[in-house]
Amino acid sequence: MLSAVMEDYIKAIYAIGNDTGERVGTSELAEYLDVTSPTVSSMLKKLEERGLVDREEYRGVRLTEEGEIVALEILRHHRLLESFLTDHLDYDWADVHEEADRLEHHVSEELTARIADALDNPGVDPHGDPIPDADLKLPDERGRSRLSDASEGDRAIVRRIRHQGDEELRYLSDAGIEPGTEVEVLEVAPFGLVTVRTLNGDQSLPKEIARLIETTPATEAEA
């Protein structure tokens, strides 16, 4: 059995590594989890002893095959819980992350399967994050791009908002930017702001926020 803290570390390593495609450094994990670097180093040693991470000095860590299986199981629990809270308990999509964080360590595989059935086995959660299926396979996400890479005049459908913190989610929710909405890129400023038109009006997004937003091109049928 893994502790909740261990599971949090595994999930964080997966999230950072999946975003960057590289090994995850101690300082990155410390910032992501809001802990000290010595605390991270101590936990990584424990995870390495359990065969869940591959650690190289000065190069960071990555999950082993076993560690990735654990990460996908945690993500399946977390994202199904977010979907259930949103669809059946009237939570706002921008407010479910912390609640799911608390619950994800305590749900059984039986309960997870029942939640998935009750939701008709969704492929994504309320943020557009892919939900691993019962075999821990992820849905195909090809054809997506980051809003930060868009050009002026592009029209796009928001498909996913990568979670960095509840403040960012609330900011985007208030701006009318959430999965399923259409945006039009009005301006890409040289100093980083991306201005888009939404149903809530024009919004200027810092590039670090626009980078969290994954989109697909809008078609005429979606106009």
Side-chain angles (χ1 to χ4, degrees):
M1 292 290 293
L2 298 176
S3 69
V5 175
M6 286 180 170
E7 290 184 350
D8 286 341
Y9 271 79
I10 291 170
K11 189 172 68 171
I13 294 168
Y14 180 90
I16 299 170
N18 191 50
D19 188 38
T20 65
E22 300 177 356
R23 285 178 173 268
V24 181
T26 299
S27 59
E28 289 178 284
L29 269 174
E31 182 178 359
Y32 190 95
L33 293 167
D34 194 24
V35 296
T36 65
S37 292
T39 298
V40 171
S41 296
S42 176
M43 178 56 72
L44 292 180
K45 183 178 180 181
K46 294 177 183 178
L47 294 176
E48 183 181 32
E49 290 171 351
R50 288 176 174 250
L52 298 171
V53 301
D54 172 59
R55 184 169 60 149
E56 291 188 21
E57 192 171 5
Y58 307 118
R59 293 192 61 208
V61 299
R62 65 184 176 193
L63 294 175
T64 62
E65 184 175 346
E66 183 180 353
E68 186 159 334
I69 290 172
V70 173
L72 291 170
E73 288 175 341
I74 299 167
L75 288 177
R76 176 169 166 80
H77 295 172
H78 181 97
R79 293 172 179 175
L80 283 170
L81 284 165
E82 288 187 329
S83 299
F84 185 81
L85 291 169
T86 303
D87 291 359
H88 290 275
L89 298 181
D90 295 327
Y91 276 73
D92 188 278
W93 73 278
D95 297 329
V96 292
H97 184 77
E98 278 193 21
E99 198 69 61
D101 266 345
R102 287 188 284 268
L103 294 170
E104 67 189 18
H105 308 293
H106 309 292
V107 292
S108 66
E109 293 305 319
E110 172 67 19
L111 179 56
T112 300
R114 287 174 180 254
I115 290 173
D117 286 342
L119 295 170
D120 199 23
N121 295 294
V124 296
D125 72 6
H127 309 116
D129 291 319
I131 300 175
D133 65 17
D135 297 321
L136 302 183
K137 303 297 183 184
L138 290 165
D140 187 2
E141 293 184 282
R142 287 176 294 183
R144 296 184 178 187
S145 59
R146 304 287 181 109
L147 186 60
S148 54
D149 296 325
S151 301
E152 292 179 7
D154 286 353
R155 288 173 40 254
I157 303 298
V158 175
R159 298 301 181 190
R160 179 183 187 185
I161 297 176
R162 289 177 173 265
H163 184 265
Q164 295 293 311
D166 289 347
E167 288 184 7
E168 289 89 346
L169 292 180
R170 174 52 57 197
Y171 172 82
L172 291 171
S173 178
D174 291 343
I177 299 173
E178 57 186 78
T181 60
E182 181 178 327
V183 297
E184 178 184 358
V185 180
L186 301 178
E187 182 181 10
V188 180
F191 48 84
L193 284 180
V194 179
T195 300
V196 297
R197 176 161 292 154
T198 75
L199 292 176
N200 288 17
D202 297 351
Q203 308 289 341
S204 293
L205 307 174
K207 193 163 188 177
E208 59 268 23
I209 296 295
R211 187 180 178 276
L212 303 178
I213 302 169
E214 293 184 3
T215 67
T216 56
T219 65
E220 291 301 321
E222 292 169 312

